[in-house]
Coordinates of all heavy atoms in Angstrom, one line a residue:
M1 N 5.7 2.5 12.5 CA 5.1 1.5 11.6 C 5.1 0.2 12.3 O 6.1 -0.2 13.0 CB 5.9 1.4 10.4 CG 5.4 0.5 9.3 SD 6.2 0.7 7.7 CE 7.8 0.0 8.1
E2 N 4.1 -0.6 12.1 CA 4.0 -2.0 12.7 C 5.0 -2.9 12.1 O 5.4 -2.8 10.9 CB 2.6 -2.5 12.5 CG 1.6 -1.7 13.2 CD 0.2 -2.3 13.1 OE1 0.1 -3.6 13.1 OE2 -0.7 -1.7 12.9
E3 N 5.6 -3.8 12.9 CA 6.7 -4.7 12.4 C 6.2 -5.8 11.5 O 7.0 -6.1 10.6 CB 7.0 -5.6 13.7 CG 7.6 -4.6 14.7 CD 8.0 -5.4 16.0 OE1 8.1 -6.7 16.0 OE2 8.1 -4.7 17.0
N4 N 4.9 -6.1 11.4 CA 4.5 -7.3 10.4 C 4.1 -6.8 9.1 O 3.7 -7.5 8.3 CB 3.5 -8.1 11.1 CG 2.2 -7.4 11.5 OD1 2.2 -6.1 11.6 ND2 1.1 -8.0 11.8
I5 N 4.2 -5.4 8.9 CA 3.8 -4.8 7.6 C 5.1 -4.9 6.7 O 6.1 -4.5 7.1 CB 3.3 -3.4 7.7 CG1 2.0 -3.4 8.5 CG2 3.0 -2.8 6.4 CD1 1.4 -2.1 8.7
R6 N 4.9 -5.6 5.5 CA 5.9 -5.6 4.6 C 5.6 -5.0 3.3 O 4.5 -5.0 2.8 CB 6.3 -7.2 4.3 CG 6.7 -8.0 5.5 CD 7.1 -9.4 5.2 NE 6.6 -10.0 4.0 CZ 7.3 -10.9 3.4 NH1 8.4 -11.3 3.7 NH2 6.8 -11.5 2.3
F7 N 6.6 -4.4 2.7 CA 6.5 -3.7 1.4 C 7.4 -4.5 0.4 O 8.5 -4.6 0.6 CB 7.0 -2.2 1.5 CG 6.2 -1.4 2.4 CD1 6.4 -1.4 3.7 CD2 5.1 -0.6 1.9 CE1 5.7 -0.5 4.6 CE2 4.4 0.2 2.7 CZ 4.6 0.2 4.1
L8 N 6.7 -5.0 -0.7 CA 7.4 -5.8 -1.6 C 7.2 -5.2 -3.0 O 6.1 -5.0 -3.4 CB 6.8 -7.2 -1.6 CG 6.7 -7.9 -0.2 CD1 5.9 -9.2 -0.2 CD2 8.2 -8.3 0.2
P9 N 8.2 -5.2 -3.8 CA 8.1 -4.8 -5.2 C 7.3 -5.8 -6.0 O 7.5 -7.0 -5.7 CB 9.6 -4.7 -5.8 CG 10.4 -5.4 -4.8 CD 9.7 -5.5 -3.5
A10 N 6.5 -5.4 -6.9 CA 5.6 -6.3 -7.7 C 5.8 -5.8 -9.1 O 4.9 -5.0 -9.7 CB 4.3 -6.2 -7.3
G11 N 6.8 -6.2 -9.8 CA 7.1 -5.7 -11.2 C 7.7 -4.3 -11.2 O 8.3 -3.9 -10.1
D12 N 7.8 -3.6 -12.3 CA 8.4 -2.3 -12.3 C 7.6 -1.1 -12.1 O 8.1 0.0 -11.9 CB 9.1 -2.2 -13.6 CG 8.2 -2.3 -14.8 OD1 6.9 -2.4 -14.6 OD2 8.6 -2.0 -16.0
S13 N 6.3 -1.3 -11.7 CA 5.4 -0.3 -11.4 C 4.4 -0.5 -10.4 O 3.2 0.1 -10.4 CB 4.8 0.3 -12.8 OG 3.9 -0.7 -13.4
S14 N 4.6 -1.5 -9.6 CA 3.6 -1.9 -8.5 C 4.3 -2.2 -7.2 O 5.5 -2.6 -7.3 CB 2.8 -3.0 -8.9 OG 2.0 -2.7 -10.1
V15 N 3.7 -2.0 -6.1 CA 4.2 -2.5 -4.8 C 3.1 -3.2 -4.1 O 1.9 -2.8 -4.2 CB 4.8 -1.2 -4.0 CG1 3.6 -0.2 -3.8 CG2 5.4 -1.7 -2.8
L16 N 3.5 -4.2 -3.3 CA 2.5 -5.0 -2.5 C 2.8 -4.7 -1.0 O 3.9 -4.8 -0.6 CB 2.6 -6.4 -2.8 CG 1.8 -7.4 -2.1 CD1 0.3 -7.2 -2.7 CD2 2.1 -8.8 -2.2
I17 N 1.7 -4.2 -0.4 CA 1.8 -4.1 1.1 C 1.1 -5.2 1.8 O 0.0 -5.4 1.5 CB 1.2 -2.7 1.6 CG1 1.7 -1.6 0.7 CG2 1.3 -2.6 3.0 CD1 1.0 -0.3 1.1
E18 N 1.9 -6.0 2.4 CA 1.3 -7.1 3.2 C 1.2 -6.7 4.7 O 2.0 -6.3 5.3 CB 2.2 -8.4 3.1 CG 2.3 -9.0 1.8 CD 3.1 -10.3 1.8 OE1 3.9 -10.5 2.8 OE2 2.9 -11.2 1.0
F19 N -0.1 -6.8 5.1 CA -0.4 -6.4 6.4 C -0.4 -7.6 7.5 O -0.6 -7.3 8.8 CB -1.7 -5.7 6.5 CG -1.8 -4.3 5.8 CD1 -2.0 -4.3 4.4 CD2 -1.6 -3.2 6.5 CE1 -2.0 -3.1 3.8 CE2 -1.6 -2.0 5.8 CZ -1.8 -1.8 4.6
G20 N -0.2 -8.7 7.0 CA -0.1 -9.9 7.9 C 0.0 -11.2 7.0 O -0.2 -11.1 5.9
N21 N 0.1 -12.3 7.7 CA 0.2 -13.6 7.1 C -1.0 -14.4 7.2 O -1.1 -15.6 6.7 CB 1.3 -14.4 7.7 CG 2.7 -13.8 7.5 OD1 2.9 -13.2 6.4 ND2 3.5 -13.8 8.4
S22 N -2.1 -13.9 7.7 CA -3.4 -14.8 7.8 C -4.6 -13.9 7.6 O -4.5 -12.7 7.4 CB -3.5 -15.3 9.3 OG -3.7 -14.2 10.1
I23 N -5.7 -14.6 7.3 CA -6.9 -13.8 7.0 C -7.6 -13.7 8.3 O -8.0 -14.6 9.0 CB -7.8 -14.6 6.0 CG1 -7.1 -14.7 4.6 CG2 -9.2 -14.0 5.9 CD1 -7.8 -15.6 3.6
S24 N -7.8 -12.3 8.7 CA -8.5 -12.1 10.0 C -9.1 -10.7 9.8 O -8.8 -9.9 9.0 CB -7.4 -12.0 11.1 OG -6.6 -10.9 11.0
P25 N -10.2 -10.5 10.7 CA -10.8 -9.2 10.6 C -9.9 -8.1 10.9 O -10.1 -7.0 10.4 CB -11.9 -9.4 11.6 CG -12.2 -10.8 11.8 CD -10.8 -11.4 11.5
E26 N -9.0 -8.3 11.8 CA -8.0 -7.2 12.2 C -7.2 -6.8 11.1 O -7.0 -5.6 10.8 CB -7.2 -7.6 13.4 CG -8.0 -7.8 14.7 CD -8.6 -9.2 14.7 OE1 -8.3 -10.2 14.0 OE2 -9.5 -9.4 15.6
I27 N -6.7 -7.8 10.4 CA -5.7 -7.5 9.2 C -6.6 -6.8 8.1 O -6.0 -5.9 7.5 CB -5.0 -8.8 8.8 CG1 -4.0 -9.2 9.8 CG2 -4.4 -8.6 7.4 CD1 -3.3 -10.5 9.6
N28 N -7.7 -7.4 7.9 CA -8.6 -6.8 6.8 C -8.9 -5.3 7.1 O -9.1 -4.5 6.3 CB -9.8 -7.7 6.6 CG -10.6 -7.3 5.3 OD1 -11.7 -6.7 5.4 ND2 -10.0 -7.4 4.2
F29 N -9.2 -5.1 8.4 CA -9.4 -3.7 8.7 C -8.3 -2.8 8.4 O -8.5 -1.6 8.0 CB -9.9 -3.7 10.3 CG -10.0 -2.2 10.7 CD1 -11.1 -1.6 10.6 CD2 -8.9 -1.5 11.4 CE1 -11.4 -0.3 11.0 CE2 -9.1 -0.2 11.9 CZ -10.3 0.4 11.6
K30 N -7.1 -3.2 8.6 CA -5.9 -2.4 8.2 C -5.9 -2.1 6.8 O -5.5 -1.1 6.3 CB -4.6 -3.1 8.7 CG -4.5 -3.2 10.2 CD -3.3 -3.9 10.7 CE -3.3 -4.1 12.1 NZ -2.0 -5.0 12.6
V31 N -6.1 -3.1 6.0 CA -6.2 -3.0 4.6 C -7.2 -2.0 4.1 O -6.9 -1.1 3.3 CB -6.4 -4.4 3.8 CG1 -6.6 -4.2 2.2 CG2 -5.3 -5.4 4.1
R32 N -8.4 -2.2 4.6 CA -9.5 -1.2 4.3 C -9.2 0.2 4.8 O -9.5 1.2 4.1 CB -10.8 -1.7 4.8 CG -11.3 -3.0 4.1 CD -12.7 -3.5 4.7 NE -12.5 -3.8 6.1 CZ -13.4 -3.6 7.1 NH1 -14.7 -3.1 6.8 NH2 -13.2 -3.9 8.3
N33 N -8.5 0.4 5.9 CA -8.2 1.6 6.3 C -7.2 2.3 5.5 O -7.3 3.5 5.1 CB -7.6 1.5 7.8 CG -7.5 2.8 8.5 OD1 -8.4 3.7 8.4 ND2 -6.3 3.1 9.0
M34 N -6.2 1.5 4.9 CA -5.2 2.0 4.0 C -5.9 2.5 2.7 O -5.4 3.5 2.1 CB -4.1 1.0 3.8 CG -3.0 1.5 3.0 SD -2.1 2.9 3.8 CE -0.7 3.2 2.6
V35 N -6.8 1.7 2.3 CA -7.6 2.1 1.1 C -8.3 3.5 1.2 O -8.1 4.4 0.4 CB -8.6 1.0 0.6 CG1 -9.6 1.6 -0.4 CG2 -8.0 -0.2 0.2
M36 N -8.9 3.7 2.4 CA -9.5 5.0 2.7 C -8.5 6.0 2.8 O -8.7 7.2 2.3 CB -10.3 4.9 4.0 CG -11.6 4.1 3.8 SD -12.6 4.1 5.3 CE -11.7 3.4 6.5
V37 N -7.4 5.8 3.3 CA -6.3 6.8 3.4 C -5.8 7.2 2.0 O -5.7 8.4 1.7 CB -5.1 6.3 4.3 CG1 -3.9 7.2 4.2 CG2 -5.5 6.2 5.7
L38 N -5.6 6.2 1.1 CA -5.2 6.5 -0.3 C -6.2 7.2 -1.0 O -6.0 8.1 -1.8 CB -4.7 5.2 -1.0 CG -3.5 4.5 -0.5 CD1 -3.3 3.2 -1.1 CD2 -2.3 5.4 -0.7
E39 N -7.5 6.9 -0.9 CA -8.5 7.5 -1.6 C -8.6 9.0 -1.2 O -8.8 9.9 -1.9 CB -9.9 6.9 -1.3 CG -10.1 5.6 -2.0 CD -11.3 4.8 -1.6 OE1 -11.9 5.0 -0.6 OE2 -11.7 3.9 -2.4
K40 N -8.4 9.2 0.2 CA -8.5 10.6 0.6 C -7.3 11.4 0.3 O -7.5 12.6 -0.1 CB -8.6 10.6 2.2 CG -8.9 11.9 2.8 CD -9.2 11.7 4.3 CE -9.7 13.0 4.9 NZ -10.0 12.8 6.3
A41 N -6.1 10.8 0.2 CA -4.9 11.4 -0.1 C -4.9 11.9 -1.7 O -4.3 12.8 -2.0 CB -3.6 10.6 0.1
Q42 N -5.6 11.1 -2.5 CA -5.6 11.5 -4.0 C -4.3 11.8 -4.5 O -4.1 12.8 -5.1 CB -6.6 12.6 -4.2 CG -8.1 12.3 -3.8 CD -9.1 13.4 -4.2 OE1 -8.6 14.4 -4.6 NE2 -10.2 13.1 -3.9
K43 N -3.3 10.9 -4.4 CA -2.0 11.0 -5.0 C -2.0 10.8 -6.5 O -2.5 9.8 -6.9 CB -0.9 10.1 -4.3 CG -0.8 10.2 -2.8 CD -0.1 11.5 -2.4 CE 0.0 11.6 -0.9 NZ 0.6 12.8 -0.6
N44 N -1.4 11.7 -7.2 CA -1.6 11.6 -8.7 C -0.6 10.6 -9.3 O -0.8 10.2 -10.5 CB -1.4 13.0 -9.4 CG 0.1 13.5 -9.2 OD1 0.8 13.0 -8.4 ND2 0.5 14.4 -10.1
Y45 N 0.3 10.0 -8.6 CA 1.2 8.9 -9.0 C 0.6 7.6 -8.8 O 1.2 6.7 -9.2 CB 2.5 9.2 -8.4 CG 2.5 9.2 -6.8 CD1 2.4 8.2 -6.1 CD2 2.6 10.6 -6.3 CE1 2.3 8.3 -4.7 CE2 2.6 10.6 -4.9 CZ 2.5 9.5 -4.1 OH 2.5 9.7 -2.7
I46 N -0.5 7.4 -8.0 CA -1.1 6.2 -7.9 C -2.2 6.0 -8.9 O -3.1 6.8 -8.9 CB -1.6 6.1 -6.5 CG1 -0.5 6.0 -5.4 CG2 -2.4 4.8 -6.2 CD1 -0.9 5.9 -3.9
L47 N -2.0 5.0 -9.7 CA -2.9 4.8 -10.8 C -4.2 4.0 -10.4 O -5.3 4.3 -10.8 CB -2.2 4.2 -12.0 CG -0.9 4.8 -12.4 CD1 -0.3 4.0 -13.6 CD2 -1.3 6.2 -13.0
E48 N -3.9 2.9 -9.6 CA -5.0 2.1 -9.1 C -4.4 1.2 -7.9 O -3.2 1.0 -7.7 CB -5.6 1.2 -10.1 CG -4.6 0.1 -10.8 CD -5.2 -0.7 -11.8 OE1 -6.4 -0.9 -11.8 OE2 -4.5 -1.1 -12.8
F49 N -5.3 0.7 -7.2 CA -5.0 -0.2 -6.1 C -6.0 -1.4 -6.0 O -7.2 -1.1 -6.4 CB -4.7 0.5 -4.7 CG -5.8 1.5 -4.4 CD1 -6.9 1.2 -3.8 CD2 -5.5 2.8 -4.7 CE1 -7.7 2.2 -3.4 CE2 -6.4 3.9 -4.3 CZ -7.5 3.5 -3.7
L50 N -5.5 -2.5 -5.5 CA -6.3 -3.7 -5.5 C -6.2 -4.3 -4.1 O -5.2 -4.8 -3.7 CB -5.9 -4.7 -6.6 CG -6.7 -6.0 -6.6 CD1 -8.1 -5.9 -6.8 CD2 -6.0 -7.0 -7.4
P51 N -7.2 -4.1 -3.2 CA -7.1 -4.7 -1.9 C -7.5 -6.2 -1.9 O -8.3 -6.6 -2.7 CB -8.1 -3.8 -1.1 CG -9.2 -3.4 -2.1 CD -8.4 -3.3 -3.4
T52 N -6.9 -6.9 -1.1 CA -7.3 -8.3 -0.8 C -7.6 -8.4 0.7 O -7.5 -7.4 1.4 CB -6.1 -9.3 -1.2 OG1 -5.0 -9.1 -0.3 CG2 -5.8 -9.0 -2.6
Y53 N -7.7 -9.6 1.2 CA -8.1 -9.8 2.7 C -6.9 -9.4 3.5 O -7.1 -8.8 4.6 CB -8.4 -11.2 3.0 CG -9.8 -11.6 2.5 CD1 -10.0 -12.4 1.3 CD2 -10.9 -11.1 3.2 CE1 -11.2 -12.9 1.0 CE2 -12.2 -11.5 2.7 CZ -12.3 -12.3 1.6 OH -13.5 -12.7 1.2
R54 N -5.6 -9.5 3.0 CA -4.5 -9.3 4.0 C -3.4 -8.4 3.2 O -2.3 -8.2 3.9 CB -3.9 -10.6 4.3 CG -3.3 -11.5 3.2 CD -2.7 -12.7 3.8 NE -1.8 -13.3 2.7 CZ -0.6 -13.0 2.5 NH1 0.1 -12.1 3.3 NH2 0.1 -13.6 1.6
S55 N -3.6 -7.9 2.0 CA -2.6 -7.2 1.3 C -3.3 -6.2 0.5 O -4.5 -6.2 0.2 CB -1.7 -8.1 0.5 OG -2.4 -8.7 -0.5
L56 N -2.4 -5.2 0.0 CA -2.9 -4.2 -0.9 C -1.9 -4.0 -2.0 O -0.7 -3.8 -1.8 CB -3.1 -2.9 -0.1 CG -3.5 -1.7 -1.0 CD1 -4.9 -1.8 -1.5 CD2 -3.5 -0.4 -0.1
L57 N -2.3 -4.2 -3.3 CA -1.4 -4.0 -4.5 C -1.6 -2.6 -5.0 O -2.8 -2.3 -5.3 CB -1.8 -5.1 -5.6 CG -1.0 -4.9 -6.8 CD1 0.6 -5.3 -6.6 CD2 -1.4 -5.8 -7.9
I58 N -0.6 -1.9 -5.2 CA -0.7 -0.6 -5.6 C 0.1 -0.4 -6.9 O 1.3 -0.7 -6.9 CB -0.2 0.5 -4.5 CG1 -0.8 0.4 -3.3 CG2 -0.1 1.9 -5.1 CD1 -0.3 1.1 -2.1
H59 N -0.5 0.1 -7.9 CA 0.0 0.3 -9.3 C 0.3 1.8 -9.3 O -0.6 2.5 -9.1 CB -0.9 -0.2 -10.4 CG -0.4 0.0 -11.7 ND1 0.7 -0.7 -12.2 CD2 -0.7 0.8 -12.8 CE1 1.0 -0.4 -13.4 NE2 0.1 0.6 -13.7
Y60 N 1.5 2.2 -9.6 CA 1.8 3.6 -9.7 C 2.6 4.0 -10.9 O 3.0 3.1 -11.7 CB 2.7 4.0 -8.4 CG 4.1 3.4 -8.4 CD1 5.2 4.1 -8.9 CD2 4.4 2.1 -8.1 CE1 6.5 3.7 -8.8 CE2 5.6 1.5 -8.2 CZ 6.7 2.3 -8.5 OH 8.0 1.7 -8.7
D61 N 2.7 5.3 -11.2 CA 3.4 5.8 -12.3 C 4.9 6.0 -12.0 O 5.2 7.1 -11.3 CB 2.8 7.1 -12.8 CG 3.4 7.6 -14.1 OD1 4.4 7.1 -14.5 OD2 2.8 8.5 -14.7
P62 N 5.9 5.2 -12.4 CA 7.3 5.4 -12.1 C 7.9 6.6 -12.7 O 9.0 7.0 -12.3 CB 8.0 4.1 -12.5 CG 7.0 3.6 -13.5 CD 5.6 4.0 -13.2
L63 N 7.2 7.1 -13.6 CA 7.8 8.4 -14.2 C 7.5 9.6 -13.4 O 8.1 10.7 -13.5 CB 7.2 8.7 -15.6 CG 7.5 7.5 -16.7 CD1 6.8 7.9 -18.0 CD2 8.9 7.3 -16.8
K64 N 6.5 9.5 -12.4 CA 6.2 10.6 -11.6 C 6.8 10.5 -10.1 O 7.0 11.5 -9.5 CB 4.6 10.7 -11.4 CG 3.9 11.1 -12.5 CD 2.5 11.3 -12.4 CE 1.7 11.7 -13.6 NZ 0.3 11.8 -13.4
L65 N 7.2 9.3 -9.8 CA 7.8 9.0 -8.5 C 8.5 7.7 -8.6 O 8.1 6.7 -9.1 CB 6.6 8.8 -7.5 CG 6.9 8.9 -6.0 CD1 7.3 10.3 -5.7 CD2 5.8 8.4 -5.1
S66 N 9.7 7.7 -8.0 CA 10.5 6.5 -7.9 C 10.0 5.5 -7.0 O 9.2 5.9 -6.0 CB 12.0 6.8 -7.7 OG 12.2 7.1 -6.4
Y67 N 10.5 4.3 -7.0 CA 10.1 3.2 -6.1 C 10.5 3.7 -4.6 O 9.7 3.5 -3.7 CB 10.7 1.9 -6.5 CG 10.3 0.8 -5.5 CD1 9.1 0.2 -5.5 CD2 11.3 0.4 -4.4 CE1 8.8 -0.9 -4.6 CE2 10.9 -0.6 -3.6 CZ 9.6 -1.2 -3.7 OH 9.4 -2.2 -2.8
D68 N 11.6 4.1 -4.5 CA 12.1 4.5 -3.2 C 11.3 5.6 -2.6 O 11.0 5.7 -1.3 CB 13.6 4.9 -3.2 CG 14.5 3.7 -3.4 OD1 14.2 2.6 -3.1 OD2 15.6 3.9 -4.0
E69 N 11.0 6.6 -3.4 CA 10.2 7.7 -2.9 C 8.7 7.2 -2.6 O 8.2 7.6 -1.6 CB 10.0 8.8 -4.1 CG 11.3 9.5 -4.4 CD 11.3 10.4 -5.6 OE1 10.7 9.9 -6.6 OE2 11.9 11.5 -5.5
L70 N 8.2 6.3 -3.4 CA 6.9 5.8 -3.2 C 6.9 5.0 -1.8 O 5.9 5.2 -1.0 CB 6.5 4.8 -4.2 CG 5.2 4.1 -4.0 CD1 3.9 5.1 -4.0 CD2 4.9 3.0 -5.0
L71 N 7.9 4.3 -1.6 CA 8.1 3.5 -0.2 C 8.1 4.5 0.9 O 7.3 4.2 1.9 CB 9.4 2.7 -0.3 CG 9.3 1.2 0.1 CD1 8.3 0.5 -0.7 CD2 10.6 0.6 0.1
K72 N 8.8 5.6 0.8 CA 8.8 6.5 1.9 C 7.4 7.1 2.1 O 6.9 7.2 3.3 CB 9.7 7.6 1.6 CG 11.2 7.2 1.8 CD 12.1 8.3 1.4 CE 13.5 7.9 1.4 NZ 14.4 8.9 0.9
E73 N 6.7 7.5 1.0 CA 5.3 8.0 1.1 C 4.4 7.0 1.8 O 3.5 7.3 2.6 CB 4.9 8.4 -0.3 CG 5.5 9.5 -0.9 CD 4.8 10.8 -0.6 OE1 3.5 10.8 -0.2 OE2 5.3 11.9 -0.7
L74 N 4.5 5.7 1.3 CA 3.5 4.7 1.8 C 3.8 4.3 3.3 O 3.0 4.1 4.2 CB 3.7 3.5 1.0 CG 3.1 3.6 -0.4 CD1 3.4 2.3 -1.3 CD2 1.6 3.9 -0.5
Q75 N 5.1 4.4 3.7 CA 5.5 4.1 5.1 C 5.0 5.2 5.9 O 4.4 4.9 7.0 CB 6.9 3.9 5.2 CG 7.5 2.7 4.6 CD 9.0 2.6 4.5 OE1 9.6 3.6 4.5 NE2 9.5 1.3 4.4
N76 N 4.9 6.5 5.5 CA 4.4 7.6 6.2 C 2.9 7.4 6.3 O 2.3 7.7 7.3 CB 4.7 8.9 5.6 CG 6.2 9.3 5.9 OD1 6.7 8.9 6.7 ND2 6.7 10.1 4.9
L77 N 2.2 7.1 5.3 CA 0.8 6.9 5.3 C 0.4 5.7 6.2 O -0.7 5.8 6.9 CB 0.2 6.7 3.9 CG 0.3 7.9 2.9 CD1 -0.1 7.4 1.5 CD2 -0.6 9.0 3.4
V78 N 1.1 4.6 6.2 CA 0.8 3.5 7.1 C 1.0 3.8 8.6 O 0.1 3.5 9.3 CB 1.8 2.3 6.8 CG1 1.6 1.2 7.9 CG2 1.3 1.6 5.4
S79 N 1.9 4.7 8.9 CA 2.0 5.1 10.3 C 1.3 6.3 10.8 O 0.2 6.4 10.9 CB 3.5 5.3 10.6 OG 4.1 6.2 9.8

């Protein structure tokens, strides 16, 4: 996993993945790539996601998967 990617809790049922600190084509490519990975994976615990230029907000069902389990899944998908 890349060093500059951060996973941050966002409330009780969302996680924010930050792919960098600036707006750049390279960082936005990573965000769009993660969106494609999530769409292809079709995980039933992910309710929706919202990409931005440098981050991705993921809203999930905490009754299906805990935050820690989600973090492990997302870290695997990122790498």
Side-chain angles (χ1 to χ4, degrees):
M1 186 175 65
E2 293 185 38
E3 297 173 18
N4 59 345
I5 296 177
R6 297 186 340 151
F7 296 84
L8 305 167
D12 58 357
S13 62
S14 297
V15 63
L16 181 70
I17 306 174
E18 288 186 342
F19 290 88
N21 293 326
S22 61
I23 295 174
S24 73
E26 295 82 17
I27 291 173
N28 189 248
F29 175 79
K30 292 175 187 178
V31 173
R32 290 181 300 148
N33 190 48
M34 186 63 176
V35 167
M36 289 189 297
V37 167
L38 289 173
E39 287 174 340
K40 191 172 188 177
Q42 296 182 355
K43 303 290 187 181
N44 68 345
Y45 49 81
I46 294 179
L47 304 176
E48 64 181 332
F49 42 87
L50 176 65
T52 69
Y53 285 110
R54 62 178 197 89
S55 64
L56 179 63
L57 180 67
I58 299 171
H59 182 68
Y60 70 100
D61 185 346
L63 299 176
K64 293 183 179 178
L65 196 70
S66 72
Y67 178 79
D68 292 332
E69 292 169 323
L70 176 67
L71 228 55
K72 288 178 189 174
E73 290 270 341
L74 292 174
Q75 288 169 342
N76 286 335
L77 291 173
V78 165
S79 54

